[in-house]
Amino acid sequence: MRDRLLAATVLVLVATAGGAADWPQYRGPQRLGVAAQADLLDGWPEDGPRVAWRRSIGGGYSSVAAVGDRLFTLDTDGAEEAVLALDAATGDTLWRVPIGPFVQAELEDGGPRSTPAVAGGTVYAVSSQARLVALAAADGALRWQHDLTAWGPVPRFGYATSPLVEGRLVVVLAGQRGEEPGVVAFDRETGELAWQALSGPAGYTSVVAVELAGVRQLVLSLFEAVVGLSLEGELLWRYDTEPHAAIPMPVVVPPDGVFVSSSEDAFGGVLLRVARHDDGFRVTEAWKQRLMRNHFNSSLAVDGALYGFDNGTLRCLDATTGERLWAKRGFGKGSLVAAGKLLFVLGDDGTVALVHADRQGYREAGRIQAMRGRAWTEPALAGGHLYLRDFDELVSLDLRRPAAPAEVATP
């Protein structure tokens, strides 16, 4: 009996803590668009990797959070928005919890824009109309909730920021009236307000937690600045910029770089260096140019190179100097994630390609037409499976290498 109880306890701890193969929030474990290395196919057959499953899904741009054997996302049925828990192996719905009414967006593409975050057996999600909920991952039971319009109005195109779980905090852009987005942190267990910083209406980007200059901090792109906040909400540094549409998330370029971009020609992309001195932090501009104008999906860094979409062109830049290394058209306003030195590139027409992260040139190692609808949602990569979404479907591709045949012992 004691052994059975111990085994059950271990299973619960594994299921709630998450593992190295998980993708527990928007853009993955560190919010960098990079998965833990796995034994994945480095070349695809002509018909592509195996489709594990595909299923219909309601509208919206929410990506997938994957923890253990479950996936979490949001969709709409045209009347209400909801959080969904799915079986990762089959795509079947395990539970569905409505979290607010559907409101048609200005571009006739209403639905949730935010991706859930999962930690400690709780799912944190936000509707496009700014309702923040904490739900039990097991059954969707409500633990706590907030109406974020208490801090400011819903943005023009709907609430889009994805919650960040950092330690005991859940951090979101909630908005306070003024010129810049307001950042609000809640205790993730109780939902109590921990702190609020800055001011202004909610934007469309999300906060990232990183270590810069030896200090763990929260980094955020604002309309006219890039800022670093302490985990207590105190301003550590600020770098003023030209006004720009702050939609893509900042990208950390080790050891001390932060790349920030916008689709606007006047802004382009800038790499900042963050240093710590006796009198505080100093931020300098390493380079700035217009060859990586991210629209709404962020770039990622692999081995000293930046890969991302310059509006409709996939580009590779030297992260240290900003030098253009190569460019590839044909994906539209796409997105990408990485595992090791493999890039998984999703075109806005549902095309997905396997590309080697090679500074010397574009090297494609497989391509399929995975979906037919508009695919503006960034993929998720967990447990050797790539999860792709357009406005109608969710697809799981099995990227794992086939298991080697077992050796037969000879007498």
Side-chain angles (χ1 to χ4, degrees):
M1 179 68 176
R2 179 179 177 274
D3 290 341
R4 287 198 298 270
L5 287 173
L6 179 60
T9 301
V10 171
L11 286 174
V12 170
L13 288 174
V14 170
T16 57
D22 291 336
W23 191 271
Q25 60 183 335
Y26 183 54
R27 305 205 75 223
Q30 306 300 323
R31 289 203 147 182
L32 300 177
V34 179
Q37 244 178 304
D39 191 20
L40 305 180
L41 292 166
D42 58 7
W44 290 349
E46 185 175 346
D47 57 352
R50 182 179 72 89
V51 177
W53 50 261
R54 67 172 63 238
R55 57 159 289 170
S56 61
I57 195 166
Y61 296 107
S62 178
S63 187
V64 166
V67 174
D69 61 359
R70 294 193 173 195
L71 311 177
F72 302 91
T73 189
L74 292 87
D75 79 348
T76 181
D77 59 5
E80 59 190 7
E81 295 183 8
V83 183
L84 285 75
L86 310 177
D87 185 311
T90 65
D92 293 339
T93 301
L94 301 175
W95 53 257
R96 185 177 190 272
V97 175
I99 60 169
F102 168 80
V103 175
Q104 187 61 274
E106 184 172 316
L107 299 179
E108 301 298 311
D109 61 349
R113 274 92 165 102
S114 173
T115 300
V118 186
T122 302
V123 183
Y124 304 92
V126 189
S127 75
S128 70
Q129 301 308 299
R131 185 185 178 204
L132 169 65
V133 297
L135 307 176
D139 57 9
L142 179 66
R143 291 183 168 165
W144 55 261
Q145 63 180 316
H146 283 286
D147 181 354
L148 298 179
T149 59
W151 282 269
V154 174
R156 174 183 174 189
F157 296 105
Y159 196 91
T161 190
S162 294
L164 166 70
V165 177
E166 174 64 18
R168 286 189 58 85
L169 300 177
V170 177
V171 185
V172 294
L173 289 186
Q176 296 174 23
R177 300 185 185 280
E179 297 180 355
E180 297 168 351
V183 182
V184 179
F186 302 97
D187 183 292
R188 71 179 185 139
E189 297 292 338
T190 66
E192 293 180 1
L193 178 66
W195 51 259
Q196 57 190 33
L198 309 175
S199 63
Y204 302 105
T205 187
S206 301
V207 182
V208 61
V210 301
E211 185 167 313
L212 290 171
V215 176
R216 187 75 172 171
Q217 55 190 272
L218 308 175
V219 178
L220 173 67
S221 179
L222 306 177
F223 297 132
E224 295 184 344
V226 184
V227 300
L229 301 175
S230 74
L231 301 186
E232 293 74 38
E234 298 175 349
L235 183 66
L236 299 178
W237 54 268
R238 175 187 174 102
Y239 186 82
D240 292 319
T241 68
E242 300 95 335
H244 66 284
I247 301 176
M249 290 170 60
V251 177
V252 177
V253 179
D256 58 0
V258 177
F259 175 72
V260 183
S261 185
S262 169
S263 62
E264 298 177 13
D265 285 345
F267 186 88
V270 58
L271 183 75
L272 305 176
R273 298 288 184 194
V274 180
R276 188 181 183 190
H277 297 268
D278 292 340
D279 57 349
F281 288 85
R282 295 180 190 171
V283 183
T284 56
E285 188 178 290
W287 54 262
K288 182 179 181 181
Q289 44 102 314
R290 295 169 50 200
L291 291 179
M292 191 67 89
R293 295 161 296 178
N294 296 162
H295 191 174
F296 39 75
N297 288 311
S298 305
S299 296
L300 54 83
V302 177
D303 289 345
L306 279 169
Y307 300 88
F309 278 88
D310 178 18
N311 281 316
T313 301
L314 176 64
R315 291 194 187 276
C316 174
L317 304 182
D318 184 289
T320 302
T321 65
E323 175 190 0
R324 170 182 167 171
L325 300 178
W326 54 259
K328 176 69 175 179
R329 293 184 178 273
F331 290 104
K333 291 185 180 294
S335 57
L336 74 166
V337 294
K341 293 190 177 183
L342 299 177
L343 307 176
F344 302 93
V345 183
L346 176 63
D348 63 8
D349 64 350
T351 299
V352 61
L354 170 62
V355 179
H356 287 273
D358 188 342
R359 297 166 57 93
Q360 304 304 313
Y362 178 84
R363 285 202 297 133
E364 188 174 295
R367 176 187 290 240
I368 60 169
Q369 188 73 44
M371 301 172 292
R372 295 291 177 182
R374 182 171 61 191
W376 282 357
T377 299
E378 187 172 290
L381 180 56
H385 288 75
L386 186 68
Y387 299 102
L388 308 171
R389 180 179 182 167
D390 64 12
F391 228 61
D392 303 302
E393 279 191 311
L394 184 64
V395 181
S396 171
L397 300 181
D398 187 348
L399 307 180
R400 298 171 297 177
R401 292 180 184 273
E407 293 185 6
V408 179
T410 56

